[in-house]
Amino acid sequence: MTERLYHSDSYLREFQAVVTAADPAVRAVVLDRTAFYPGGGGQPCDFGTLAVGGVTWPVVRTRKAGEEVEHFLGGETPLPQAGTALTGSLDWPRRYRLMRTHTAMHILCGVVFRDFGALVTGGDMDLQQARMDFEFESMSRDLVEGIEQSINLEVEKNRPIRVKVFPREEAFQIPDLIRTKVNLLPPGIPEVRTVEIVGLDLQADGGTHVQATGEVGRIHIVDYKSKGKINKRLYVELE
Ligand SMILES: [Zn+2]
């Protein structure tokens, strides 16, 4: 099992770990602990490096594999063997931008639910842009501009963001979590991690976020599209 350091400290960009398994056929290693986010919930995986004794491997992809996180290494250098202690470093500009973008999506989600009662039906993000789909019957330029103003007001308020872990049964008792479909979580999961933008949004979420909404900076809704009768898509970019 890989301890997920990013769950408790999303600002950790360098860490020490020990290789627990190495698969030369696919050039992947598993570590006992990692700060590399393996992707999920719309947030892409992290890149970076693993290094020991003057040898550095680029981490070109990471992936969840059951309870473990696989780190795929580029280059030709033979993989570090099981038992090797090494240093992991994230491509921090990439990760930090994804943290800000992910948080921007939660701000949007919270505002659209608060002001219109509209639920999210999907979302995705890359380094440049994020998109979110909402149950909305009609969308207009005016409406989009209003939403853009409201989300940026939430950025200016610099609301704190809190991460907590609840036992599964306790999480089911939180009314606000029901709308984020906490009841659809796989039955094997004993704990539920929540990300709360205090006073605005609460989600069951495994992703990495900034500490306060002010860190996101100005958010632009750059486009919108109809994706069916009751689905409208908003495209978001950070400054
Ligand atoms: Zn999220």
Side-chain angles (χ1 to χ4, degrees):
M1 181 185 161
T2 308
E3 185 190 349
R4 282 135 158 92
L5 301 170
Y6 54 84
H7 265 174
S8 47
D9 183 2
S10 58
Y11 289 82
L12 185 66
R13 48 178 114 173
E14 198 175 290
F15 62 99
Q16 307 298 315
V18 175
V19 177
T20 56
D23 181 353
V26 293
R27 290 192 63 79
V29 297
V30 174
L31 307 177
D32 62 340
R33 58 212 293 265
T34 190
F36 282 86
Y37 186 67
Q43 183 180 336
C45 74
D46 287 331
F47 301 154
T49 58
L50 299 181
V52 59
V55 184
T56 300
W57 295 265
V59 176
V60 294
R61 187 163 71 94
T62 52
R63 181 177 79 175
K64 233 178 277 180
E67 293 291 287
E68 294 174 336
V69 175
E70 290 178 324
H71 304 67
F72 293 87
L73 306 184
E76 304 279 311
T77 313
L79 299 189
Q81 293 182 341
T84 307
L86 41 70
T87 303
S89 307
L90 302 190
D91 173 345
W92 181 250
R94 170 186 166 84
R95 153 64 94 71
Y96 187 57
R97 189 171 174 93
L98 290 169
M99 275 162 63
R100 289 169 56 225
T101 303
H102 196 159
T103 304
M105 289 173 83
H106 284 219
I107 295 171
L108 178 61
C109 179
V111 163
V112 169
F113 183 74
R114 181 195 66 195
D115 296 353
F116 304 96
L119 289 170
V120 174
T121 54
D124 205 4
M125 74 183 89
D126 60 31
L127 211 50
Q128 300 311 321
Q129 204 178 62
R131 60 170 177 79
M132 280 201 115
D133 298 343
F134 294 94
E135 281 179 359
F136 241 100
E137 295 224 341
S138 63
M139 188 57 71
S140 66
R141 186 30 65 189
D142 277 359
L143 207 53
V144 167
E145 277 170 14
I147 294 170
E148 191 179 74
Q149 269 181 14
S150 303
I151 56 181
N152 282 298
L153 202 61
E154 299 304 325
V155 170
E156 282 162 32
K157 282 183 187 164
N158 201 23
R159 290 186 186 273
I161 295 163
R162 288 189 199 139
V163 174
K164 284 183 192 160
V165 177
F166 293 97
R168 183 188 177 85
E169 293 314 313
E170 220 174 290
F172 276 79
Q173 308 304 317
I174 306 172
D176 283 353
L177 275 186
I178 301 304
R179 74 178 167 91
T180 68
K181 302 184 173 66
V182 68
N183 52 330
L184 297 182
L185 291 172
I189 294 178
E191 291 180 326
V192 177
R193 180 178 181 266
T194 62
V195 175
E196 178 183 22
I197 302 178
V198 176
L200 180 67
D201 187 59
L202 179 64
Q203 311 245 353
D205 195 290
T208 61
H209 294 268
V210 292
Q211 280 173 327
T213 58
E215 271 189 57
V216 172
R218 195 160 174 81
I219 307 169
H220 296 282
I221 302 179
V222 291
D223 202 4
Y224 65 101
K225 250 182 212 157
S226 181
K227 300 299 281 183
K229 204 173 168 208
I230 57 151
N231 264 313
K232 301 294 170 283
R233 177 169 295 175
L234 299 179
Y235 295 87
V236 162
E237 279 180 24
L238 301 188
E239 214 150 72

